[in-house]
Amino acid sequence: MNDTTSMSILIVEDEKEIRRFVRGALTDAGWKVIEAGTHHDGLLEAGTRKPDLIILDLGLPDGDGVDFIRELRSWSTCPVIVLSARIDETDKVRALDAGADDYIEKPFGVGELLARVRASLRRTHPGLDEKSAIHFDDVVVDLAKRQVTKAGEPVHITPIEYRLLTALLAHPGKVLTHRQLLKDVWGPGFIEHNHYLRIYMGHLRHKLETDPTQPRHLLTETGVGYRFVL
Amino acid sequence: MPPESPTEPSHLPHSYLIAAAASALTTALLFTLFPRIEQANVAMLFLAALIPVAMKLGRGPASLCAILNVIGFDAFFIEPRFTFVVEDLRFWITFAVMLVVGLLLANLTAGLKAQASIATERERKTRGLYELARRLGAALRNEQIAESVEELITEQGLGDAVLLFPDEHRRLSPTQKRMPMLDLHLAQWCFDEGRSAGIATSTLAAGPLHYLPLTASVRTRGMLVLDPADSRSLESAEQLQHLQTIAALAANALERTHFVAVAQDTLVQIESQRMREMLLAALSHDLRTPITSIMVIAETLATSDTVEGEARTELLTSLRRQTQGMARLVTNLLDMARLETGERPLRLDWQSLEEIIGSARQALADQLRGRKLTVNITPDFPLLHADGVLLERVFVNLLENAVKYVPADMHMGISARTEDDTAVIEVWDEGPGMTGRNLERLFHKFTRGAIESSVPGVGLGLTICRAIVDAHGGAISAANRPDGGASIEIRLPLSKPPEWTQEEESGTHE
């Protein structure tokens, strides 16, 4: 398990109650918390204190969260999790495509918050490259041998299915947008071809999930993308 | 076809020739009948013959005919015949009277004919205006007004016309109908100033076109631009007035359509307002129960020291579920409002029904825990062209309802199949079924009328399901199953599946 306890997390949120709640949850889990109430202060703190993760509320009154992300991304690769009020899934997709790493929908619970934070922190620290195999349920994905087995039996996976699977496995717990997946697996010319994703994710679910209509690892984030959870 | 001006024939030189020929013909005819007819009668007949000539050829030629008739009368019927000499001097009086009467007859008859023509012309114009007024009375859109006016102007022979309308910034937009010489800037100026310009006006009179603003009582609503049929079309004051009358009718019609649009917008706003009020009322009504539950649980946990272990966990779980339920309710209401007002357009994309059902189950994980839910989708079930988020909402609502109604140990399920080009999805359960004779009413809980105070949130859920399914061009209906339990059937039209290239299989991946 990565040692993330010395890390600091910046929360950019104008509502005091939410800031208090998140601060409490994060400090209980052992992280340091920095607070900012506006985009302007948020960017300042991000620049000076250099946090390891930023939690940004998309509904801040003093600007567009997507602009904040773009501005930030021009000089920082710090992971960003956006808080959205679920008005519209396009807000989340825009934020993710602009450079955010994940999102949490309000209202959310502590468990969900911590899971997303850990998943995003994991990204910047050694992940897939160091592992030789990934296990979930009774599935084993052997990255060295490029083989997949379920309940000990080999599973026939096509090259594209394998590429898709490993793209998801590389960011456990994190959402990947349709656009990102299509670009990574098929190439930039396919970013409008969501139906490929649907078809291939369906194949993967049927091959690897115990109940494809109730997936536990290859999750769908409707309107946004997909998420692999261990 | 421009009508012939009533005086035109008299301008044609050959009319005079025809008149002369008519005179000669009359003379010849009467000559053959002479001497059986008396001279007096010949004179009368000469005069009578003038009438058709006057009616057909007009004033000038008829006058010529009158003169020639007198000469002919003298030459062929008065002694000594075949000369112009007159023996009996009384015949000079006859000639004089005949000439005067002839000329009078010619002129009056021609005048009468001209009057008749003018009257016919006026009647034609008036009938045209009447017809226009009638068609404009039925016109609902500016395009219809433009069509009627442009057609009439062409029919009436005034020329070729085009109507221009302003956009919301009061800028004239060019029309689809082409008028090559149209100067949009000039038209805009006329529109802004409310003045006419071009041919037959005092501004830029040398221009090829006539620009006429369509102004009714309040403000200018458009522009009429006329390409006259010929340079003389607008010469007479009457023609210009005719055009202006047409323009006035058009302006009035435009004003009417404008205010009709304003009234419609207001109606829509009133409707939205009413919808919002109903939804707010529903919201406060349906939130009361979960809020009360949360208050009670929170108080219990706060005041009682003895709530521990399992009891405590149960209370906390219940707290969480109530909150989630409230969040779903609020989302439903928001989406309902936005769907109704068109604020949330459908975002169509290729969706996997399996994924959508999976997500819906995920969203209701707490509620569905421990329940028997079977999902059966036929293996070749195609991708659906739908709005994923909204379709997921449909299944969340249906499953949430089922959970409320169906006892925990009874089966529930979702099945999906295709029938020709329709997807048929059924959400069923083995619960008590739905009460009420008219199950259709379940889908109408929040339209006009009373808000039903049955199981909270059920009504709105189904209403939203219907709104979403309808928006997809599908249909949703409820029925009780013959073996007991409820069944909701959703039918969605299937679109042609998208092209995709299968990758080549390469055996078990190495």
Side-chain angles (χ1 to χ4, degrees):
Chain A
M1 184 65 181
N2 300 311
D3 175 26
T4 59
T5 49
S6 58
M7 295 185 179
S8 62
I9 299 175
L10 165 66
I11 162 146
V12 184
E13 167 65 68
D14 65 321
E15 276 185 59
K16 249 180 30 189
E17 286 300 320
I18 300 186
R19 268 207 319 263
R20 183 149 55 125
F21 163 68
V22 172
R23 183 178 66 227
L26 295 176
T27 46
D28 278 353
W31 292 303
K32 272 202 352 255
V33 174
I34 311 159
E35 289 177 37
T38 63
H39 282 155
H40 178 257
D41 290 347
L43 285 169
L44 266 177
E45 298 281 8
T48 52
R49 311 275 282 274
K50 301 246 184 280
D52 297 285
L53 176 83
I54 300 175
I55 296 177
L56 165 75
D57 189 323
L58 280 182
L60 248 56
D62 71 320
D64 186 1
V66 176
D67 291 334
F68 177 98
I69 296 168
R70 289 210 186 102
E71 166 75 38
L72 179 80
R73 280 282 169 263
S74 64
W75 47 265
S76 165
T77 56
C78 174
V80 176
I81 299 179
V82 292
L83 297 180
S84 93
R86 204 189 181 163
I87 300 288
D88 208 334
E89 71 273 14
T90 55
D91 290 346
K92 298 190 291 255
V93 175
R94 277 179 66 227
L96 290 167
D97 284 339
D101 295 70
D102 211 333
Y103 69 92
I104 308 175
E105 265 172 12
K106 295 193 268 195
F108 55 89
V110 173
E112 217 181 315
L113 173 69
L114 296 180
R116 300 281 160 95
V117 166
R118 288 200 185 98
S120 281
L121 284 174
R122 215 182 284 129
R123 181 181 78 97
T124 52
H125 297 80
L128 200 60
D129 309 327
E130 288 203 344
K131 293 209 162 65
S132 57
I134 298 190
H135 305 248
F136 59 92
D137 255 355
D138 53 355
V139 174
V140 180
V141 181
D142 190 330
L143 298 165
K145 295 198 214 138
R146 292 164 78 84
Q147 247 178 10
V148 181
T149 60
K150 183 172 168 73
E153 299 295 320
V155 179
H156 168 49
I157 300 268
T158 71
I160 292 189
E161 285 168 9
Y162 185 78
R163 272 222 298 271
L164 181 57
L165 182 62
T166 48
L168 288 164
L169 262 46
H171 305 279
K174 227 171 68 96
V175 72
L176 295 170
T177 63
H178 297 130
R179 193 192 185 94
Q180 284 166 340
L181 285 169
L182 285 165
K183 211 166 89 153
D184 285 347
V185 177
W186 279 274
F190 282 77
I191 51 180
E192 299 290 316
H193 292 47
N194 281 1
H195 53 283
Y196 276 84
L197 262 184
R198 305 276 178 237
I199 293 169
Y200 277 88
M201 284 302 296
H203 292 170
L204 282 178
R205 269 196 313 271
H206 278 262
K207 289 180 183 177
L208 303 178
E209 288 276 1
T210 316
D211 180 0
T213 67
Q214 216 179 177
R216 300 202 1 245
H217 303 280
L218 299 168
L219 305 180
T220 308
E221 303 280 339
T222 315
V224 179
Y226 294 92
R227 187 193 302 271
F228 167 74
V229 296
L230 279 167
Chain B
M1 231 348 248
E4 285 221 272
S5 161
T7 55
E8 262 194 57
S10 72
H11 290 147
L12 302 171
H14 67 256
S15 296
Y16 287 90
L17 288 173
I18 298 174
S23 178
L25 191 65
T26 315
T27 312
L29 205 63
L30 290 172
F31 189 69
T32 58
L33 294 172
F34 192 73
R36 267 179 292 158
I37 314 178
E38 281 188 12
Q39 281 161 333
N41 291 336
V42 170
M44 291 299 121
L45 287 169
F46 263 119
L47 286 174
L50 273 176
I51 296 176
V53 173
M55 279 184 59
K56 269 279 174 260
L57 300 172
R59 222 158 266 198
S63 302
L64 174 67
C65 195
I67 296 168
L68 291 175
N69 280 357
V70 173
I71 296 173
F73 183 50
D74 172 23
F76 294 97
F77 301 92
I78 301 298
E79 301 298 336
R81 299 209 295 161
F82 310 109
T83 70
F84 287 119
V85 175
V86 181
E87 275 181 357
D88 191 342
L89 289 173
R90 281 177 300 168
F91 278 114
W92 279 111
I93 302 173
T94 312
F95 294 153
V97 172
M98 197 173 151
L99 184 65
V100 167
V101 172
L103 287 172
L104 266 175
L105 198 62
N107 278 287
L108 284 175
T109 311
L112 212 65
K113 174 86 189 312
Q115 295 263 15
S117 281
I118 292 174
T120 312
E121 172 67 6
R122 285 216 181 105
E123 197 235 2
R124 196 184 62 88
K125 280 194 176 120
T126 309
R127 184 130 28 96
L129 288 175
Y130 167 72
E131 179 65 24
L132 179 65
R134 198 182 61 80
R135 287 170 74 183
L136 290 180
L140 293 170
R141 293 190 331 268
N142 287 359
E143 294 76 41
Q144 291 169 320
I145 294 173
E147 216 180 280
S148 299
V149 170
E150 286 161 15
E151 260 175 45
L152 183 82
I153 288 180
T154 310
E155 267 171 44
Q156 294 269 309
L158 285 165
D160 197 21
V162 72
L163 261 64
L164 299 169
F165 299 116
D167 58 21
E168 61 267 14
H169 301 294
R170 306 276 298 163
R171 308 284 317 157
L172 292 176
S173 29
T175 59
Q176 289 172 333
K177 184 173 169 184
R178 290 185 316 123
M179 187 168 273
M181 292 177 292
L182 185 97
D183 182 348
L184 202 62
H185 292 292
L186 179 58
Q188 185 68 49
W189 179 85
C190 293
F191 178 76
D192 294 334
E193 298 290 317
R195 289 170 54 179
S196 54
I199 192 173
T201 70
S202 51
T203 311
L204 295 176
L209 307 176
H210 182 86
Y211 296 79
L212 189 57
L214 302 171
T215 313
S217 56
V218 180
R219 47 158 58 168
T220 310
R221 301 271 170 216
M223 278 298 297
L224 191 158
V225 184
L226 175 74
D227 183 2
D230 59 60
S231 57
R232 293 210 305 262
S233 278
L234 293 178
E235 237 180 30
S236 71
E238 233 185 65
Q239 289 283 74
L240 194 59
Q241 201 179 61
H242 187 49
L243 180 69
Q244 287 166 347
T245 311
I246 293 175
L249 281 174
N252 271 311
L254 287 174
E255 189 134 283
R256 183 174 57 79
T257 53
H258 167 78
F259 284 118
V260 162
V262 168
Q264 278 175 345
D265 280 344
T266 313
L267 267 176
V268 167
Q269 281 177 27
I270 294 174
E271 263 311 307
S272 308
Q273 177 74 357
R274 204 183 304 167
M275 168 66 68
R276 258 178 251 273
E277 281 166 13
M278 276 200 302
L279 288 173
L280 280 173
L283 183 64
S284 69
H285 176 269
D286 284 345
L287 281 180
R288 231 163 274 172
T289 308
I291 288 177
T292 312
S293 306
I294 291 172
M295 266 174 55
V296 166
I297 296 170
E299 272 178 15
T300 310
L301 288 170
T303 57
S304 170
D305 298 324
T306 58
V307 181
E308 303 231 349
E310 239 188 71
R312 191 182 164 83
T313 313
E314 248 183 62
L315 283 176
L316 289 171
T317 307
S318 183
L319 201 60
R320 191 180 63 229
R321 287 195 195 183
Q322 295 288 357
T323 319
Q324 286 170 341
M326 282 203 307
R328 274 194 300 276
L329 184 63
V330 170
T331 312
N332 264 347
L333 284 167
L334 260 180
D335 273 357
M336 183 66 177
R338 288 163 71 233
L339 260 180
E340 287 283 320
T341 59
E343 257 174 71
R344 196 210 184 292
L346 281 192
R347 297 208 180 91
L348 296 175
D349 199 352
W350 293 103
Q351 309 290 348
S352 155
L353 181 66
E354 184 181 85
E355 278 181 17
I356 291 182
I357 293 176
S359 295
R361 292 174 83 170
Q362 173 89 4
L364 291 171
D366 273 346
Q367 275 81 351
L368 290 171
R369 192 159 296 137
R371 285 192 173 255
K372 303 172 206 155
L373 177 69
T374 319
V375 176
N376 272 317
I377 305 176
T378 54
D380 52 352
F381 195 85
L383 293 179
L384 296 171
H385 199 57
D387 184 314
V389 170
L390 290 181
L391 205 57
E392 184 187 312
R393 182 71 43 72
V394 170
F395 289 103
V396 166
N397 284 339
L398 292 178
L399 288 174
E400 193 176 19
N401 282 354
V403 161
K404 283 190 180 119
Y405 270 132
V406 176
D409 57 338
M410 296 200 149
H411 272 108
M412 302 191 310
I414 304 178
S415 64
R417 67 180 198 281
T418 57
E419 256 177 36
D420 294 324
D421 52 0
T422 308
V424 183
I425 307 159
E426 196 196 343
V427 179
W428 55 267
D429 64 70
E430 286 177 346
M434 293 170 290
T435 54
R437 260 167 305 157
N438 185 2
L439 295 177
E440 261 297 293
R441 288 185 61 239
L442 288 171
F443 295 99
H444 296 295
K445 291 280 163 114
F446 286 103
T447 49
R448 292 167 206 277
I451 297 169
E452 314 250 343
S453 55
S454 49
V455 181
V458 171
L460 187 59
L462 287 177
T463 309
I464 291 183
C465 290
R466 165 153 289 178
I468 293 173
V469 172
D470 281 354
H472 282 86
I476 184 170
S477 57
N480 284 318
R481 299 168 92 222
D483 301 336
S487 160
I488 310 270
E489 185 185 83
I490 300 169
R491 302 181 82 94
L492 290 172
L494 288 173
S495 311
K496 184 170 169 314
E499 301 284 321
W500 69 289
T501 43
Q502 274 262 33
E503 63 176 324
E504 281 126 32
E505 298 291 324
S506 59
T508 307
H509 189 80
E510 32 20 66

